[in-house]
Amino acid sequence: GVLTGKYTRANAGKIQGGRGEWATSALNDKAYTLIDALIDIAREADSTPARIALAWVQQRPAVTSTIIGARTMQQLEDNIAALDLHLSHEQLARLHALSAPQLNFPFDFIKRATGFSSSGAHINGIAAPTNPLSPKSEQDRY
């Protein structure tokens, strides 16, 4: 429900959800930025934020099913319409970037350490930078 476009910056704190604090406690600046993007993409696609949110989830590689929370026939029809919606790579990338979790230590440390531990290797499709201390050429190595 938080990603349906019902809650926006403009009406922040004015709309009470059916789940009360459970839903509204997640509304912070990051959530509103994501909701703004869902609304923008819905306009681009001539759709609704709820459909965009569901289509986004359905297009994630590891997702095999989605759970909908429709309480009315209109909500159910809107949710089902998401099955026919296909988001572009750019739209998906935008939503992925805005929703990426902010992990704390040691995540950033480990991410930066790949240049030393996996210099130049590709692991799970991610390229590690070359170790800045390694020789630049074969002549430097010997």
Side-chain angles (χ1 to χ4, degrees), residues 52 57 111 132:
I52 299 299
V57 170
K111 190 174 180 180

Side-chain angles (χ1 to χ4, degrees), residues 48-99:
T48 66
R51 286 182 200 165
I52 299 299
L54 287 170
W56 170 37
V57 170
Q58 291 165 1
Q59 286 182 246
R60 293 189 67 91
V63 174
T64 58
S65 65
T66 52
I67 299 172
I68 58 174
R71 290 177 292 148
T72 68
M73 187 56 81
Q74 181 182 2
Q75 289 173 343
L76 179 62
E77 289 169 353
D78 193 43
N79 288 188
I80 291 172
L83 293 171
D84 297 324
L85 188 59
H86 186 79
L87 301 176
S88 71
H89 292 291
E90 294 78 21
Q91 291 167 331
L92 290 171
R94 182 176 174 196
L95 294 172
H96 292 329
L98 291 172
S99 64

Side-chain angles (χ1 to χ4, degrees), residues 94-110:
R94 182 176 174 196
L95 294 172
H96 292 329
L98 291 172
S99 64
Q102 298 296 326
L103 302 176
N104 56 5
F105 183 83
F107 179 75
D108 287 338
F109 174 78
I110 292 170

Side-chain angles (χ1 to χ4, degrees), residues 7-22:
Y7 305 99
T8 64
R9 288 181 200 276
N11 66 22
K14 298 175 186 166
I15 294 185
Q16 294 302 315
R19 294 184 176 97
E21 279 294 311
W22 187 82

